[in-house]
Amino acid sequence: MQNNILPKHIAIIMDGNGRWAKKRFLPRLVGHNQGVKSLKEIVRYSSDIGIEYLTVYAFSTENWARPKTEVNGIIKLLFDAMKEYINELIENNVKMKIIGDKETIPENVMELFNDCENRTKNNTGMQFNIAFNYGSRQEIVHSVKEIAKMCLENKVDINEINEELIQSNLYTKDMPDPDFVIRTSGEIRISNFLLWQISYSELYFTKTYWPDFNKSEYKKALEEYQSRKRRYGKI
Ligand code: IPE
Ligand code: IPE
Ligand code: MG
């Protein structure tokens, strides 16, 4: 793997925790727990090799439709992992950000998210984004509402609405679009993740379940990225 043409921004749909557990006759939450371990390894490695932005899909707006015990279990796992892991992120100069609808999540989770963001806001290393209670359509609706408000307040004229203005009202406003999207578990779909932002991203799908996705699987994906020719409509 050549380090000079690494993607600047990598986005990952961490899928397959449930099936990983099922295959082993274990409860789904054991799979989610194992998934957190993969996440730690991938975050650490991404920061080590100099990735500038890493965005992971941890919980979608649609995932609330799962049984309550699973939803609560996932939230608790993430909550505990963040509490435990925050100091390591600070040590590694990682800047953390939550993308998603923060208004409709449990208050203690929101407080922890805000605390993690605040404590890492001056870090200058990799930016690590966790998409939680995230849905891309919801994000676009949010952006449109913000712009509509500006129009009503006469701060923006309709003719000034352009791609930049829409982008600057998304949760990802301060970051470049992902260069590379990885989805584990064998599903070949996007599931409402960063629809606007991945217009020109390179997509990579692997059958490996997220809890089995390790450094060597990651390197394989990055090598594949390096063999792609990005054209952006040109020849
Ligand atoms: C991904 O694993 C984690 C979340 C969606 C929170 P899944 O829980 O979707 O696992 P599968 O797809 O059922 O195997
Ligand atoms: C996408 O996985 C969401 C996350 C990884 C958090 P899902 O398991 O929810 O997606 P679908 O339902 O298979 O499309
Ligand atoms: Mg899934």
Side-chain angles (χ1 to χ4, degrees):
M1 191 175 82
Q2 300 150 269
N3 272 13
N4 57 345
I5 39 170
L6 284 171
K8 192 173 178 156
H9 185 174
I10 300 177
I12 306 182
I13 303 172
M14 310 183 289
D15 195 19
N17 294 349
R19 279 164 284 166
W20 181 93
K22 192 171 178 213
K23 211 172 93 184
R24 289 163 176 78
F25 307 102
L26 293 166
R28 289 177 63 87
L29 276 173
V30 177
H32 293 306
N33 188 41
Q34 207 57 36
V36 171
K37 292 187 182 157
S38 292
L39 177 60
K40 286 183 183 165
E41 182 176 341
I42 295 307
V43 173
R44 208 168 287 145
Y45 184 64
S46 303
S47 153
D48 286 350
I49 60 174
I51 300 300
E52 290 180 48
Y53 299 84
L54 176 70
T55 302
V56 300
Y57 204 5
F59 193 84
S60 75
T61 45
E62 288 74 27
N63 288 147
W64 294 107
R66 296 186 180 200
K68 219 171 163 190
T69 46
E70 178 166 349
V71 169
N72 291 343
I74 294 173
I75 296 177
K76 185 172 178 342
L77 265 173
L78 199 67
F79 187 88
D80 292 347
M82 276 169 76
K83 267 180 122 166
E84 181 202 314
Y85 195 42
I86 180 75
N87 288 327
E88 185 180 326
L89 292 181
I90 294 172
E91 261 167 48
N92 289 317
N93 199 22
V94 170
K95 182 173 169 176
M96 216 174 114
K97 199 171 151 53
I98 306 299
I99 61 169
D101 181 6
K102 276 192 191 163
E103 310 287 313
T104 57
I105 59 176
E107 205 173 315
N108 62 333
V109 178
M110 190 179 70
E111 278 166 12
L112 177 68
F113 284 168
N114 288 339
D115 184 48
C116 290
E117 287 184 345
N118 282 331
R119 287 174 65 194
T120 61
K121 71 168 185 268
N122 295 321
N123 288 354
T124 53
M126 183 177 83
Q127 179 164 328
F128 172 40
N129 304 308
I130 301 184
F132 182 88
N133 194 20
Y134 177 86
S136 187
R137 289 181 172 178
Q138 182 273 336
E139 179 188 35
I140 293 168
V141 169
H142 167 82
S143 171
V144 169
K145 281 185 178 165
E146 293 297 310
I147 296 167
K149 265 190 253 167
M150 291 190 259
C151 286
L152 286 174
E153 290 164 3
N154 292 319
K155 289 181 185 150
V156 163
D157 183 80
I158 281 195
N159 296 313
E160 289 169 341
I161 299 176
N162 57 17
E163 292 183 12
E164 283 70 38
L165 190 63
I166 293 174
Q167 137 78 16
S168 67
N169 283 286
L170 297 173
Y171 300 127
T172 53
K173 54 175 167 258
D174 301 319
M175 31 184 129
D177 288 339
D179 301 291
F180 194 40
V181 179
I182 297 172
R183 182 173 189 145
T184 59
S185 92
E187 307 299 351
I188 318 285
R189 57 176 169 258
I190 295 300
S191 304
N192 205 11
F193 190 45
L194 303 172
L195 301 177
W196 174 277
Q197 298 89 335
I198 63 172
S199 296
Y200 264 105
S201 306
E202 294 298 323
L203 308 179
Y204 178 88
F205 298 96
T206 169
K207 290 207 163 81
T208 304
Y209 293 142
W210 177 248
D212 288 327
F213 194 82
N214 54 21
K215 222 154 68 175
S216 107
E217 292 277 337
Y218 195 32
K219 277 192 202 161
K220 208 161 77 185
L222 291 170
E223 273 163 13
E224 160 82 28
Y225 173 81
Q226 292 179 331
S227 72
R228 305 270 180 99
K229 172 96 182 76
R230 305 183 73 184
R231 278 191 282 271
Y232 302 99
K234 300 176 211 148
I235 53 167

